[in-house]
């Protein structure tokens, strides 16, 4: 078996080399192209001469009897002319084909032109026809997964996995590719290649000149291209090379996700051979890795929004590229409206909207029919498998399937999509555990997680080449759907879920829940398997579920989130009439109204809906309005030191304590040791204070079952917030252990999030919604009469996370306009 693998490997290497040579041959081809253009021009001029000549002759000899010889010559010239005309027409046809790639939207609107069809096909959006085809396939082919290699693999497979430990998949459809199928190849050869050669091999490269010309000719350009075609890493570099950053101008490229901004900036810095933070940098909330010299700025969409506060016309930017536009995050959507406006006043500003192959027509229409530049994809076909029956426990099913793929399928790395850090860590642990038990019965399996809070050195590991003989499995959140491209993925495992925010504008409750992903998402995920070779995607749900239970597309975030933050920001940008703001998709009216109402309650807006002084300060702080209010209130209660710590600890997302499986009791004891009367906010404060007293020691964290990297992040956040205190006129002060003051300051920000114990449990004060204290809370067993919570999470119930005991009289003290004395 190993010998045959080696042969396959060598074969793959050979193919790869050939492919590379082909690619190299393309470069002179491109040079030739300009020569061809020159020749075509000569040809055109010749034709024009000829036509003039013929016209002259006909004019001169029109009525004259011509000699036979003269007639023949005239006939010959006419034929030449006709041929030349045909030739020219052909050239125009070619040009026409090129404009299909780079088309004005009007051309596609009337009759669905080629580009539109391709979009449909590539994203695999199932039209009626495809569905019928799928169904036919489903009936006919019950090809058992792994069957293709049954002869060689079956015995080994049985040896390793018990029958009941496997999942039966059915091959149903194929996601079409533009490349012929090829056996899985290893990417080692590519990894060794020079970074410049890799740059030239990306699908966007052959279109460099055309793209730059299009950017030069249009103020707004929509760029559409398959994930991994080089939009994010290459286009800003092209613009840099083209001189768009001369005279101190900057290029911004926005990403919806922090991890993507960091990782992509690091990659581009490496490609340009500069230190990250010099010419190329990134800026994400609470972390700025840029300097005076930074001209290529990768940033989260939220950070660019904040740039508007200090520079409303983005005057120092020559180009703004809104990347991953198809994700339709809240911030990206708001950016659209603001940038469209700025573009009107700054004709020299270039706006690029980059997106995976989805929805580009919408963007084009929004930007006054801006042209769409399509980068032709390079994708291999992907076979799609479904489970025969629904899986009850998708995490367990995931682990089993990964092992199943590992022992039955030819070489190639695996990408698994899960919904968040906790799940990913659990899956990785389970996988490692089983691999350890199987020992040398299976080949080496490298298990690598990737999610937002993962430290960057760990993040970088997913890009490192897989050692020969081993297989890599990357367990990722949605981040790997379109923002990051990992080379060498042949298998995708998709349980079909994602974590999604939802918002109920009636109750004002925001919750984060695990929900089925959309078809568009599922197809993007599947597409990740076809980047380097023909791939396979295993969906842990049935074909029926795909067709009947998944939504077509994900609802834009703006329609399922609270808008307090954004409304505050827009108000401070002087945009008052939010109902008529230029939204790509408007938020629900009630959501907008509720945001205004909450900001009014927090004192950020006056009764006319205008920004107050306090509202202006709140907008300065890069945190939620409630959190900013809490920080501002710490001035009054002289406890800003403590409140900063609480704010920083709340910002690191419930990842302070960890519970190793083998030391659950120790970990829980350690946690209980931090408990202070009053509630979770004080516990967080206590942890941080003790850590600071230990000299910010990692050893201390280890001994107390506290996550060192979360703490380090909290420290960063705290420093940043502290740096902003002066701007919002809050002095540094400490409560000296008088925690009542801290609790009052917190209440001043969170009086909106209060619950009261009734005979039937906790109810939120305003909306009378039934809620529960999270079992992790220090107050879980105490059940105080009044409390406030930091956030609600909906898992099995509506749980309040991070709760603090308060007294009802404080509510009157901190928000007399909101709470009136009743009882
Ligand atoms: P797009 O934005 O069109 O999806 P990208 O510009 O992100 O494409 O990616 C282009 C190529 O750069 C991909 O093939 C990917 O493998 C490579 N790449 C991107 N980031 C990294 C990284 N951090 N390490 C190694 N390769 C990377
Ligand atoms: Mg990208």
């Amino acid at each position: 078996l190993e010998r045959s693998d080696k042969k396959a490997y060598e074969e793959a290497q050979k193919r790869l080399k050939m492919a590379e040579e082909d690619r190299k041959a393309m470069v002179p081809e491109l040079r030739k192209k300009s020569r061809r253009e020159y020749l075509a021009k000569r040809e055109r001029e010749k034709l024009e001469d000829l036509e003039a000549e013929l016209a002259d002759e006909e004019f001169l000899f029109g009525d004259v009897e011509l000699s036979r010889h003269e007639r023949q010559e005239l006939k010959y010239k006419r034929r030449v002319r006709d041929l030349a005309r045909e030739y020219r027409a052909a050239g125009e046809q070619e040009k026409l084909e090129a404009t299909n790639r780079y088309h004005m939207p009007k051309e596609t609107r009337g009759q669905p032109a080629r580009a539109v069809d391709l979009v449909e096909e590539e994203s695999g959006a199932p039209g009626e026809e495809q569905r019928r085809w799928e169904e036919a396939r489903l009936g006919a082919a019950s090809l058992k997964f792994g069957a293709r290699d049954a002869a060689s693999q079956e015995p080994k497979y049985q040896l390793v996995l018990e029958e009941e430990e496997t999942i039966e998949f059915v091959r149903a459809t194929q996601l079409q590719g533009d490349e012929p199928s090829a056996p899985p190849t290893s990417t080692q050869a590519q990894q060794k290649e020079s970074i410049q050669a890799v740059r030239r091999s990306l699908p966007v490269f052959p279109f460099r000149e055309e793209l730059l010309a299009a950017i030069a000719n249009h103020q707004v350009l929509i760029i559409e291209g398959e994930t991994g075609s080089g939009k994010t890493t290459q286009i800003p570099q092209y613009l840099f090379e083209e001189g768009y950053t001369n005279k101190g101008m900057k290029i911004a490229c926005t990403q919806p996700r922090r991890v993507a901004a960091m990782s992509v900036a690091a990659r581009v810095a490496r490609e340009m051979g500069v230190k990250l933070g010099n010419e190329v940098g990134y800026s994400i909330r609470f972390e700025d890795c840029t300097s005076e010299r930074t001209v290529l700025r990768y940033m989260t969409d939220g950070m660019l929004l904040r740039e508007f506060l200090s520079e409303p016309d983005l005057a120092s930017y020559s180009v703004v590229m809104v990347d991953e536009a198809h994700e339709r995050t809240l911030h990206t959507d708001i950016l659209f409206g603001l940038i469209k406006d700025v573009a009107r006043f700054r004709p020299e500003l270039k706006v690029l909207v980059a997106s995976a192959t989805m929805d580009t027509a919408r963007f084009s229409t929004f930007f006054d029919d801006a042209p769409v530049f399509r980068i032709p994809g390079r994708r291999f076909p992907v076979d799609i498998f479904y489970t025969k029956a629904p899986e009850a426990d998708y995490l367990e099913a995931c682990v089993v399937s990964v092992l199943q793929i590992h022992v039955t399928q030819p070489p190639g790395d695996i990408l698994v999509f899960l919904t968040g850090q906790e799940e990913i860590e659990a899956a990785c642990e389970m996988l490692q555990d089983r691999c350890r038990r199987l020992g040398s019965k299976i080949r080496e399996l490298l298990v690598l997680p990737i999610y937002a809070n993962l430290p960057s050195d760990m993040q970088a590991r997913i890009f490192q080449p897989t050692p020969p003989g081993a297989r890599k499995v990357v367990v990722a959140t949605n981040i790997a759907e379109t923002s990051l491209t990992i080379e060498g993925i042949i298998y995708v495992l998709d349980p079909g879920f994602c974590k999604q925010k939802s918002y109920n504008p009636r109750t004002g409750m925001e919750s984060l829940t695990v929900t089925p992903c959309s078809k568009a998402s599922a197809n993007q995920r599947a597409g990740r398997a076809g980047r380097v070779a023909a791939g396979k995607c295993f969906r842990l749900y049935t074909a029926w579920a795909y067709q009947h239970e998944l939504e077509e597309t994900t609802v834009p975030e703006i329609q399922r989130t609270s808008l307090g933050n954004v409304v505050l920001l827009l108000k401070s940008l002087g945009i008052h009439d939010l109902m008529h703001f230029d939204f790509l998709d408007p938020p629900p009216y009630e959501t907008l109204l509720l945001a205004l109402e909450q900001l009014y309650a927090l004192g950020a807006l006056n009764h006319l809906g205008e920004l107050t002084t306090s509202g202006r300060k709140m907008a300065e702080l890069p945190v939620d309005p409630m959190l900013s209010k809490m920080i501002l209130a710490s001035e009054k209660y002289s406890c800003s030191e403590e409140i900063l710590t609480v704010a920083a600890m709340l910002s690191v997302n419930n990842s302070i304590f960890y519970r190793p499986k083998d030391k659950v009791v120790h970990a829980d004891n350690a946690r209980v040791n931090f408990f202070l009367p009053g509630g979770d906010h004080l516990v967080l404060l206590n942890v941080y204070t003790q850590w600071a007293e230990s000299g910010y020691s990692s050893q201390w964290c280890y001994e107390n079952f506290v996550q060192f990297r979360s703490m380090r992040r909290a420290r960063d956040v705290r420093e940043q917030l502290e740096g902003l205190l002066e701007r919002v006129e809050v002095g540094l002060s400490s409560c000296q252990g008088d925690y009542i003051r801290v609790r009052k300051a917190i209440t001043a920000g969170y009086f909106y999030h209060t619950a009261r114990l009734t005979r039937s449990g906790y109810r939120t004060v305003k909306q009378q919604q039934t809620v529960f204290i999270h079992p992790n809370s220090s107050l879980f067993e105490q059940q105080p009469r009044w409390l406030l919570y930091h956030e609600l999470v909906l898992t099995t119930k509506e749980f309040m996370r991070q709760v603090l005991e308060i007294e009802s009289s404080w509510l009157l003290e901190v928000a007399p306009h909101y709470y009136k004395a009743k009882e």
Side-chain angles (χ1 to χ4, degrees):
L1 199 94
E2 262 179 25
R3 204 176 309 131
S4 77
D5 273 356
K6 188 153 174 271
K7 232 173 105 193
Y9 178 67
E10 279 165 5
E11 185 64 35
Q13 291 275 344
K14 224 189 288 165
R15 274 168 192 274
L16 208 69
K17 215 162 143 211
M18 269 158 60
E20 192 39 46
E21 268 159 18
D22 282 350
R23 232 175 271 145
K24 278 197 191 120
M26 246 165 67
V27 178
E29 189 62 33
L30 276 175
R31 275 200 212 105
K32 251 192 263 161
K33 196 178 145 216
S34 62
R35 181 160 166 71
R36 262 210 314 267
E37 269 164 15
Y38 169 67
L39 287 177
K41 188 160 165 267
R42 283 269 311 275
E43 211 62 52
R44 232 174 11 247
E45 285 165 359
K46 252 171 43 196
L47 174 67
E48 273 157 21
D49 287 347
L50 195 68
E51 294 207 87
E53 207 180 306
L54 271 168
D56 281 350
E57 274 179 20
E58 268 162 333
F59 173 72
L60 284 177
F61 307 112
D63 300 326
V64 186
E65 265 295 305
L66 295 176
S67 70
R68 201 172 142 252
H69 175 74
E70 281 167 336
R71 260 204 313 273
Q72 258 181 354
E73 188 169 332
L74 195 61
K75 207 170 142 196
Y76 170 73
K77 279 189 180 168
R78 279 190 183 132
R79 249 189 74 203
V80 171
R81 179 197 61 186
D82 291 340
L83 276 175
R85 275 182 182 161
E86 256 171 46
Y87 181 82
R88 190 164 69 168
E92 255 146 24
Q93 183 59 34
E94 207 171 273
K95 239 189 281 158
L96 206 71
E97 267 161 26
T99 53
N100 263 347
R101 184 168 55 245
Y102 166 35
H103 61 87
M104 304 296 288
K106 284 185 205 86
E107 291 171 22
T108 66
R109 219 178 282 144
Q111 88 278 40
R114 208 182 104 205
V116 172
D117 290 340
L118 276 173
V119 171
E120 286 250 337
E121 195 179 298
E122 275 167 11
S123 64
E128 194 45 45
E129 197 178 330
Q130 185 177 350
R131 196 164 325 143
R132 258 184 276 122
W133 183 66
E134 271 176 22
E135 273 158 11
R137 288 290 283 259
L138 252 180
S142 185
L143 186 72
K144 208 170 149 189
F145 140 56
R148 200 186 265 181
D149 322 287
S152 61
Q153 306 281 355
E154 203 72 45
K156 193 178 176 194
Y157 167 45
Q158 301 243 300
L159 250 172
V160 177
L161 301 174
E162 303 289 331
E163 191 70 63
E164 63 270 26
E165 271 184 3
T166 61
I167 292 174
E168 206 175 324
F169 285 95
V170 181
R171 176 163 177 261
T173 52
Q174 192 185 53
L175 210 63
Q176 301 289 305
D178 336 73
E179 307 274 312
S181 26
T185 56
S186 152
T187 47
Q188 257 103 51
Q190 217 160 341
Q191 299 277 7
K192 265 193 230 118
E193 262 188 17
S194 86
I195 221 156
Q196 291 311 321
V198 173
R199 282 192 67 192
R200 284 194 296 270
S201 73
L202 292 173
V204 67
F205 180 71
F207 301 99
R208 186 183 184 279
E209 308 309 323
E210 233 177 297
L211 181 63
L212 285 171
I215 294 171
N217 290 336
H218 300 279
Q219 187 180 15
V220 182
L221 191 67
I222 318 293
I223 302 169
E224 173 197 315
E226 196 73 55
T227 302
S229 50
K231 299 182 296 296
T232 312
T233 55
Q234 304 307 305
I235 295 173
Q237 286 189 76
Y238 294 168
L239 292 166
F240 172 77
E241 291 155 8
E242 191 73 0
Y244 279 89
T245 55
N246 293 348
K247 297 194 215 110
M249 295 302 271
K250 296 178 285 187
I251 295 173
C253 177
T254 69
Q255 298 291 314
R257 296 191 169 83
R258 283 173 29 210
V259 181
M262 287 159 72
S263 149
V264 161
R267 169 73 184 176
V268 172
R270 205 156 358 106
E271 287 185 6
M272 290 176 49
V274 300
K275 202 168 149 270
L276 185 62
N278 286 354
E279 282 77 6
V280 184
Y282 65 86
S283 103
I284 59 183
R285 191 163 74 140
F286 298 128
E287 199 173 327
D288 186 19
C289 184
T290 63
S291 60
E292 283 300 302
R293 288 163 63 181
T294 310
V295 287
L296 291 192
R297 288 174 180 246
Y298 288 91
M299 52 175 90
T300 49
D301 43 11
M303 285 311 285
L304 187 59
L305 263 188
R306 299 203 72 82
E307 286 277 295
F308 277 90
L309 279 178
S310 49
E311 199 179 45
D313 53 355
L314 300 180
S316 63
Y317 291 90
S318 56
V319 186
V320 173
M321 173 163 162
V322 181
D323 202 359
E324 304 283 329
H326 64 271
E327 291 238 0
R328 302 290 312 275
T329 60
L330 172 64
H331 291 154
T332 291
D333 268 18
I334 300 291
L335 276 179
F336 283 146
L338 293 176
I339 289 176
K340 185 174 167 183
D341 197 42
V342 167
R344 287 204 192 104
F345 293 96
R346 283 193 54 204
E348 77 288 2
L349 175 74
K350 296 291 182 189
V351 177
L352 307 179
V353 177
S355 151
T357 50
M358 283 190 250
D359 233 13
T360 41
R362 288 286 320 270
F363 302 134
S364 168
T365 313
F366 179 77
F367 283 102
D368 303 324
D369 293 334
V372 178
F373 192 101
R374 198 173 71 86
I375 302 164
R378 182 196 297 160
R379 203 171 74 184
F380 297 91
V382 176
D383 283 330
I384 298 188
F385 296 82
Y386 292 96
T387 51
K388 260 192 159 165
E391 286 297 326
D393 180 351
Y394 70 81
L395 210 55
E396 173 67 24
C398 249
V399 173
V400 171
S401 314
V402 167
L403 290 173
Q404 210 172 328
I405 293 170
H406 186 45
V407 298
T408 64
Q409 299 290 305
D413 296 335
I414 310 173
L415 175 61
V416 184
F417 286 98
L418 289 173
T419 69
Q421 178 175 351
E422 280 161 38
E423 239 177 53
I424 290 173
E425 279 174 349
C428 287
E429 217 170 279
M430 281 153 80
L431 270 171
Q432 266 148 355
D433 201 47
R434 290 202 198 171
C435 285
R436 216 172 299 128
R437 269 192 283 140
L438 289 166
S440 60
K441 273 196 261 176
I442 57 168
R443 279 198 252 164
E444 193 187 349
L445 187 68
L446 291 169
V447 184
L448 302 173
I450 174 102
Y451 49 80
N453 280 333
L454 199 68
S456 32
D457 50 323
M458 292 280 283
Q459 283 172 20
R461 281 180 57 199
I462 65 163
F463 294 109
Q464 285 163 11
T466 316
R471 193 197 295 270
K472 179 161 81 181
V473 47
V474 178
V475 190
T477 56
N478 257 350
I479 179 94
E481 210 170 278
T482 59
S483 322
L484 292 184
T485 304
I486 306 156
E487 296 292 325
I489 300 294
I490 303 283
Y491 307 100
V492 164
L493 188 62
D494 176 20
F497 290 98
C498 61
K499 216 177 247 177
Q500 228 180 41
K501 238 195 275 175
S502 62
Y503 186 64
N504 181 340
R506 199 177 46 78
T507 59
M509 286 215 235
E510 193 169 45
S511 46
L512 203 58
T513 44
V514 172
T515 42
C517 68
S518 66
K519 282 185 193 167
S521 240
N523 289 322
Q524 280 294 333
R525 291 176 177 189
R528 299 304 104 244
R531 241 186 74 72
V532 287
K536 293 179 186 171
C537 170
F538 299 97
R539 291 181 171 160
L540 286 174
Y541 41 94
T542 62
W544 193 90
Y546 174 81
Q547 282 160 30
H548 303 278
E549 288 173 1
L550 300 192
E551 302 286 339
E552 288 297 331
T553 52
T554 314
V555 177
E557 190 184 0
I558 196 166
Q559 298 182 332
R560 49 183 173 79
T561 183
S562 68
L563 295 174
N565 246 330
V566 157
V567 168
L568 188 60
L569 193 99
L570 291 176
K571 286 269 177 189
S572 45
L573 288 175
I575 297 165
H576 301 303
D577 184 7
L578 297 173
M579 303 291 168
H580 294 104
F581 183 74
D582 200 353
F583 290 112
L584 188 52
D585 280 310
Y589 179 73
E590 305 80 60
T591 308
L592 214 46
L593 218 55
L594 192 66
L596 290 169
E597 190 192 307
Q598 284 189 341
L599 288 171
Y600 171 72
L602 286 170
L605 301 178
N606 65 19
H607 64 287
L608 295 173
E610 297 160 345
L611 204 65
T612 61
T613 324
S614 150
R616 197 165 298 284
K617 288 180 190 166
M618 282 164 67
E620 290 276 340
L621 298 169
V623 294
D624 256 15
M626 287 190 278
L627 209 60
S628 355
K629 176 71 184 195
M630 167 179 110
I631 294 172
L632 292 186
S634 70
E635 170 77 1
K636 178 175 171 197
Y637 295 102
S638 311
C639 57
S640 58
E641 292 270 13
E642 288 80 8
I643 286 295
L644 279 184
T645 304
V646 172
M649 292 292 274
L650 287 172
S651 302
V652 296
N653 266 339
N654 303 301
S655 50
I656 304 291
F657 298 102
Y658 76 106
R659 278 178 104 213
K661 278 236 173 69
D662 48 337
K663 290 189 187 134
V664 173
V665 181
H666 291 89
D668 287 349
N669 282 341
R671 200 165 57 88
V672 171
N673 278 338
F674 289 111
F675 283 8
L676 282 185
D680 301 325
H681 297 69
L682 299 184
V683 175
L684 293 177
L685 177 59
N686 193 14
V687 172
Y688 191 93
T689 313
Q690 289 195 32
W691 179 57
E693 278 163 8
S694 81
Y696 305 105
S697 137
S698 58
Q699 181 63 24
W700 180 91
C701 288
Y702 179 75
E703 285 163 6
N704 291 284
F705 297 90
V706 166
Q707 307 242 31
F708 177 61
R709 52 186 150 90
S710 299
M711 296 305 292
R712 207 170 39 187
R713 192 168 145 70
R715 189 181 173 192
D716 285 347
V717 173
R718 195 184 182 287
E719 271 169 19
Q720 297 248 346
L721 288 175
E722 191 178 323
L724 290 169
L725 278 194
E726 208 178 317
R727 293 244 300 261
V728 297
E729 295 166 31
V730 173
L732 270 181
S733 52
S734 163
C735 73
Q736 311 292 348
D738 178 4
Y739 290 132
I740 298 286
R741 282 176 13 211
V742 176
R743 284 158 67 189
K744 280 188 178 175
I746 298 173
T747 314
Y750 285 85
F751 59 82
Y752 227 86
H753 277 181
T754 44
R756 186 183 160 189
L757 190 64
T758 66
R759 229 169 292 149
S760 56
Y762 281 102
R763 285 179 176 264
T764 58
V765 175
K766 273 283 160 175
Q767 304 86 9
Q768 294 296 314
Q769 194 93 3
T770 308
V771 288
F772 301 86
I773 297 182
H774 196 278
N776 263 348
S777 166
S778 62
L779 295 179
F780 183 59
E781 283 162 15
Q782 302 199 6
Q783 309 274 317
R785 226 167 94 73
W786 288 84
L787 50 78
L788 68 77
Y789 57 88
H790 179 61
E791 62 187 354
L792 280 181
V793 279
L794 177 69
T795 49
T796 45
K797 292 176 184 168
E798 290 273 9
F799 282 119
M800 301 180 277
R801 226 165 19 188
Q802 314 293 10
V803 295
L804 184 75
E805 179 177 1
I806 57 168
E807 284 173 24
S808 59
S809 63
W810 298 352
L811 292 174
L812 297 177
E813 182 181 328
V814 300
H817 54 291
Y818 191 71
Y819 289 101
K820 298 208 172 58
K822 236 194 313 191
E823 292 108 341

